Amino acid sequence: AQSVTQLDSQVPVFEEAPVELRCNYSSSVSVYLFWYVQYPNQGLQLLLKYLSGSTLVKGINGFEAEFNKSQTSFHLRKPSVHISDTAEYFCAVDSSYKLIFGSGTRLLVRP
Amino acid sequence: DVKVTQSSRYLVKRTGEKVFLECVQDMDHENMFWYRQDPGLGLRLIYFSYDVKMKEKGDIPEGYSVSREKKERFSLILESASTNQTSMYLCASSITGPSSYQETQYFGPGTRLLVL
């Protein structure tokens, strides 16, 4: 069965600094990967997804992620964060009509 | 824009009560999902449905049941609520992609349920 690991439960960072949120998945023949964001008191919304093709995927709000098959990783990055990026971020992998989510990483952006 | 709505944002119930959580989507999506979200555990799938009257157990179905009588509506039922069902409940919907991979799931705002 597929699984997703987000090792960092919380990542504090100063405004305008770069950030990387880590995600590792269990290997599979084919894999579809997603990053979702949850702002306070809201549901989740899609940031970006990898289905095939280019390993560098660009999403909304300046985020991007790189699919690395050899390291089974799909880390999320942003070169310069804003206060408004404070939220919880979930990595997910497709598994037969279902999504398997990681435990989430809370990004705290400080002024 | 896809809209997924949930009947309540906050709900307080007593142990043993029967609880209904309703979810409605307006984009004719085939697939609908119920998750619970708990700190440090992420989202865990309770049940999902890929068509009207069809349902599949997710990872944690115990203590829950579901109903999908119409394509746009997916209900989660707690037959006899218990304190360990205090949680945030999220509903989602999606279509199925051409290669059967999971298309984007669209989420409702969530229902925070407290069972006393």
Side-chain angles (χ1 to χ4, degrees):
Chain A
Q2 294 274 23
S3 66
V4 176
T5 303
Q6 293 180 250
L7 286 174
D8 304 308
S9 60
Q10 189 165 291
V11 173
V13 64
F14 287 107
E15 194 174 18
E16 297 183 6
V19 71
E20 178 180 84
L21 306 184
R22 296 181 294 167
C23 172
N24 288 88
Y25 62 93
S26 58
S27 61
S28 178
V29 174
S30 62
V31 62
Y32 307 113
L33 294 157
F34 304 78
W35 274 100
Y36 281 82
V37 60
Q38 185 179 33
Y39 297 105
N41 298 315
Q42 295 185 27
L44 279 69
Q45 62 181 152
L46 182 72
L47 265 182
L48 49 80
K49 60 185 177 184
Y50 171 79
L51 302 178
S52 64
S54 173
T55 57
L56 184 63
V57 181
K58 293 192 183 296
I60 62 171
N61 300 339
F63 283 92
E64 63 182 31
E66 185 155 19
F67 171 62
N68 187 319
K69 191 174 182 179
S70 62
Q71 296 186 6
T72 61
S73 68
F74 190 55
H75 300 333
L76 181 71
R77 300 185 183 100
K78 187 170 182 179
S80 176
V81 295
H82 301 127
I83 296 286
S84 59
D85 292 324
T86 293
E88 190 149 23
Y89 293 79
F90 293 93
C91 182
V93 62
D94 173 76
S95 176
S96 303
Y97 291 92
K98 302 184 295 183
L99 286 182
I100 307 298
F101 286 86
S103 55
T105 297
R106 189 170 298 276
L107 176 64
L108 294 172
V109 182
R110 298 168 176 167
Chain B
D1 278 353
V2 175
K3 194 165 184 182
V4 180
T5 56
Q6 294 184 229
S7 50
S8 306
R9 292 299 303 270
Y10 301 94
L11 212 50
V12 180
K13 295 292 181 181
R14 297 217 173 265
T15 303
E17 279 192 78
K18 191 168 186 176
V19 182
F20 293 88
L21 302 182
E22 301 284 336
C23 175
V24 177
Q25 51 95 2
D26 66 358
M27 283 302 290
D28 204 36
H29 286 175
E30 302 97 349
N31 308 313
M32 296 188 76
F33 307 82
W34 274 108
Y35 296 90
R36 64 176 283 174
Q37 181 182 10
D38 300 288
L41 297 178
L43 277 73
R44 292 179 292 166
L45 182 65
I46 305 171
Y47 268 96
F48 69 102
S49 168
Y50 52 88
D51 202 350
V52 176
K53 297 191 186 294
M54 306 302 290
K55 59 185 179 183
E56 293 283 342
K57 292 180 180 179
D59 300 316
I60 51 164
E62 297 79 18
Y64 304 94
S65 62
V66 290
S67 171
R68 193 165 181 203
E69 296 296 318
K70 293 184 178 181
K71 192 173 186 180
E72 67 271 17
R73 188 180 298 270
F74 192 35
S75 303
L76 180 69
I77 303 152
L78 287 66
E79 294 289 342
S80 177
S82 63
T83 54
N84 63 13
Q85 292 179 309
T86 290
S87 187
M88 168 75 93
Y89 290 88
L90 291 166
C91 175
S93 72
S94 73
I95 60 172
T96 301
S99 302
S100 298
Y101 67 81
Q102 187 60 244
E103 281 285 357
T104 302
Q105 288 193 14
Y106 294 88
F107 284 81
T111 295
R112 192 169 292 281
L113 173 66
L114 173 62
V115 182
L116 300 173

